[in-house]
Amino acid sequence: MTDRQIQIVIDSFWPLLKAGLMYTLPLAIASFVLGLIVAVLTALARTSGIRILDFIAQFYVWIIRGTPLLVQLFIIFYGLPSVGIILPPFVAALIGFTLSVGAYGSEIVRAAIQSIPKGQWEAAYSIGMTRGQALKRVILPQAARVSVPPLSNSFISLVKDTSLASVITYIEMFRQSQQIVARTYEALVLYTEAAVIYLMFTSVLFVLQGWLEKRLSRFSAQ
Amino acid sequence: MLEIRNLHKAFGSLEVLKGIDVDLEKGKVLVIIGPSGSGKTTLLRCMNLLELPDQGSMKLSDRKLEFKSGRKLPTREVTELRKRTGMVFQSYNLFPHKTVIENIMEGPVIVQKKDRAAARAHAQELLTKVGLADRGDYYPHQLSGGQQQRVGIARAMAMEPDVLLFDEPTSALDPELVGEVLRVIKQLAQEGRTMVIVTHEMKFAADVADHVILMDGGYIIEQGPPQQVINNPQSPRAQQFMNRIAGEDI
Ligand SMILES: Nc1ncnc2c1ncn2[C@@H]1O[C@H](COP(=O)(O)OP(=O)(O)OP(=O)(O)O)[C@@H](O)[C@H]1O
Ligand SMILES: [Mg+2]
């Protein structure tokens, strides 16, 4: 590397890290939290035994899983204005990622609910619980534990996928690096630097994931 | 106390219960025996509506239910009845994410809306009764099968049900752990709890039962006091079953 390149790496490190901390992670965290709520509601709809709810939930999951996230983001950000819905980039990205987490997450949560032995429902019913009480007190807490490993994978993917928001002008870390490249023409250096910062983020998450799984496995041994 | 008339239950085209009558007085123990697939578990599960019968009626204490196929019961009726019955499962079905004492408190606190402190005190009493006074803060997976099943019994009793239902409570246990569970159940019988027990343990049945029902093919083929049904059955089918059981016992 030339001295100039080294200087660019040093000068851009903090702006990139800052973009990651202030724009990439908040978008990932906010859409993950909202997405989880959507995911649980969708999973409940799909396991409710109520035909119309199940149908709506299935339709939603079908659309989201069957179309590219990038195209969804384009529709929300560039498409909706033509019917009068103009959303700021952050909101558009938040909606897109939330819907995505909701759809994929609902499959995880649904599988987790279905993995809880029937005897747990029956034990809950046998002490007089309603379906809602059984879900809240017995089934979902156990399903949550089962869902942790796959959901933490989803979150790690999401952190990386937020780079897609750059195409709808949300200035997260990747878009920030693009802007610096536009000024300096150092594509290899800067995109590699961005990759390294993503790797820093995800590595911390890998460690957290391992720790969380270890903690949870202590309780779920049947 | 418990009065069942003409109970029918089918799974699809498979008729499992073909008109069962049961009468059980308060404080008595009813033991149900019979070959595998004869409908014992199904009958027991109908008693707390884990299975919804297709036909017949059931009266428990002051509540009477009529069953018609294709008609669902209101949720309230179902939960009210379940609060009056306690179920002990073959595979315990304890809540693995809750401690032993939380397992026992769950029904009283969440369903009966009892005060937590009162529920805890009662749960502790029950734990003492089943010989696990010092295990309240353990998680189920830290206990042996016999201990887990005794927690299962305490959990069922915590609701102070009118009748306790047991489905082969010892058949998932290692032989050396069977005794401790049977002793607890026997003690409950001596205290005058009303119980319905499905079991393959004939010695235990003879010991604890006031009344024995022998089921086969969805019918009750013989019933009466244990000496009669177990030791001196009348019908040829009943004799055959008892002989086979006796053969297995050796
Ligand atoms: N949920 C179900 N769906 C379909 N068939 C069922 C269901 N539950 C039970 N059966 C069938 O009903 C019949 C009676 O079953 P049940 O479990 O009541 O017998 P059991 O007398 O308890 O037998 P075992 O001694 O083996 O426990 C069996 O043929 C069984 O396969
Ligand atoms: Mg059975």
Side-chain angles (χ1 to χ4, degrees):
Chain A
M1 275 206 293
T2 64
D3 286 353
R4 175 175 174 273
Q5 285 173 323
I6 292 173
Q7 195 56 47
I8 289 173
V9 167
I10 293 170
D11 289 346
S12 55
F13 183 76
W14 175 238
L16 286 181
L17 184 63
K18 206 168 88 180
L21 293 173
M22 290 181 54
Y23 299 99
T24 293
L25 286 185
L27 174 61
I29 291 167
S31 43
F32 191 68
V33 170
L34 294 177
L36 277 187
I37 296 170
V38 176
V40 171
L41 293 177
T42 306
L44 289 181
R46 295 219 46 195
T47 51
S48 65
I50 302 170
R51 292 264 297 270
I52 180 74
L53 286 183
D54 184 13
F55 178 79
I56 294 169
Q58 270 192 56
F59 184 76
Y60 154 61
V61 173
W62 174 62
I63 296 290
I64 300 295
R65 290 181 68 198
T67 57
L69 179 53
L70 189 58
V71 175
Q72 294 163 18
L73 290 172
F74 266 63
I75 291 175
I76 296 168
F77 186 70
Y78 295 112
L80 289 185
S82 46
V83 291
I85 303 173
I86 299 168
L87 300 168
F90 175 76
V91 177
L94 184 66
I95 292 172
F97 289 118
T98 296
L99 290 177
S100 172
V101 171
Y104 288 96
S106 75
E107 296 288 288
I108 293 173
V109 175
R110 185 169 71 106
I113 290 175
Q114 286 170 342
S115 78
I116 306 303
K118 212 170 114 246
Q120 290 292 310
W121 284 100
E122 295 185 344
Y125 286 147
S126 77
I127 55 175
M129 284 189 179
T130 59
R131 186 184 156 81
Q133 286 171 328
L135 262 174
K136 182 164 159 234
R137 303 286 310 178
V138 175
I139 304 302
L140 286 180
Q142 294 184 64
R145 273 155 218 215
V146 179
S147 317
V148 163
L151 284 178
S152 39
N153 282 333
S154 304
F155 182 67
I156 292 168
S157 297
L158 178 64
V159 169
K160 295 178 292 177
D161 288 347
T162 52
S163 57
L164 288 173
S166 61
V167 300
I168 57 168
T169 76
Y170 180 61
I171 306 188
E172 40 63 71
M173 183 162 65
F174 184 54
R175 182 144 183 126
Q176 181 81 18
S177 69
Q178 288 174 317
Q179 289 179 343
I180 302 175
V181 170
R183 268 201 329 266
T184 61
Y185 302 103
E186 289 291 351
L188 177 62
V189 169
L190 275 154
Y191 292 147
T192 306
E193 187 172 13
V196 168
I197 298 178
Y198 277 114
L199 194 59
M200 281 166 45
F201 287 174
T202 51
S203 299
V204 170
L205 293 172
F206 290 140
V207 172
L208 280 178
Q209 180 184 27
W211 174 81
L212 199 59
E213 280 177 26
K214 217 160 115 193
R215 255 189 77 90
L216 289 176
S217 68
R218 264 196 266 152
F219 296 98
S220 51
Q222 286 238 19
Chain B
M1 158 104 351
L2 177 66
E3 198 181 289
I4 292 175
R5 289 289 170 270
N6 191 31
L7 200 75
H8 286 257
K9 174 70 186 175
F11 295 108
S13 61
L14 179 69
E15 264 195 89
V16 176
L17 301 178
K18 301 172 183 167
I20 302 282
D21 297 326
V22 174
D23 287 280
L24 183 61
E25 281 171 43
K26 191 170 158 60
K28 299 289 183 193
V29 176
L30 169 67
V31 167
I32 304 174
I33 58 176
S36 183
S38 57
K40 307 180 296 293
T41 295
T42 305
L43 174 56
L44 200 70
R45 288 164 61 86
C46 283
M47 291 180 189
N48 72 347
L49 303 179
L50 283 179
E51 303 294 351
L52 186 61
D54 298 325
Q55 213 194 107
S57 69
M58 179 161 77
K59 200 176 142 205
L60 180 64
S61 311
D62 55 330
R63 295 194 91 81
K64 178 151 189 187
L65 296 173
E66 299 270 352
F67 307 110
K68 280 201 182 64
S69 69
R71 196 190 63 159
K72 277 188 125 184
L73 290 171
T75 310
R76 245 193 78 80
E77 291 285 324
V78 173
T79 52
E80 277 306 314
L81 183 112
R82 284 182 182 148
K83 286 183 206 170
R84 282 149 219 259
T85 59
M87 182 81 153
V88 175
F89 297 90
Q90 187 172 352
S91 48
Y92 335 131
N93 295 350
L94 298 181
F95 306 131
H97 58 303
K98 295 185 183 295
T99 62
V100 162
I101 197 139
E102 287 168 351
N103 263 274
I104 302 172
M105 291 165 60
E106 190 68 10
V109 171
I110 300 303
V111 177
Q112 293 176 330
K113 315 279 185 217
K114 260 200 197 163
D115 169 64
R116 276 195 84 83
R120 180 173 288 273
H122 185 218
Q124 189 57 45
E125 269 171 46
L126 291 170
L127 273 179
T128 308
K129 189 187 264 306
V130 299
L132 295 169
D134 55 343
R135 291 289 189 275
D137 294 327
Y138 284 55
Y139 281 89
H141 74 270
Q142 297 171 311
L143 304 183
S144 73
Q147 291 172 329
Q148 290 190 50
Q149 191 57 298
R150 285 184 279 152
V151 175
I153 295 171
R155 178 176 67 182
M157 284 170 45
M159 299 295 288
E160 302 185 303
D162 296 339
V163 57
L164 278 171
L165 311 173
F166 296 80
D167 188 12
E168 302 196 31
T170 59
S171 64
L173 295 175
D174 292 336
E176 70 271 19
L177 301 176
V178 168
E180 64 187 58
V181 173
L182 294 186
R183 266 195 300 280
V184 168
I185 300 174
K186 180 148 187 229
Q187 186 197 334
L188 297 178
Q190 285 164 345
E191 287 172 14
R193 305 258 173 189
T194 316
M195 303 196 278
V196 181
I197 306 171
V198 174
T199 185
H200 286 298
E201 305 271 345
M202 286 306 147
K203 274 205 207 75
F204 173 70
D207 193 24
V208 81
D210 295 299
H211 191 82
V212 176
I213 282 179
L214 172 54
M215 289 182 66
D216 193 15
Y219 296 103
I220 295 176
I221 57 165
E222 182 129 354
Q223 61 179 314
Q227 309 84 286
Q228 180 205 314
V229 179
I230 295 176
N231 301 328
N232 188 20
Q234 305 300 305
S235 70
R237 304 256 318 259
Q239 286 167 1
Q240 217 177 40
F241 173 72
M242 285 306 162
N243 286 338
R244 206 172 64 233
I245 293 274
E248 283 167 8
D249 264 359
I250 299 167

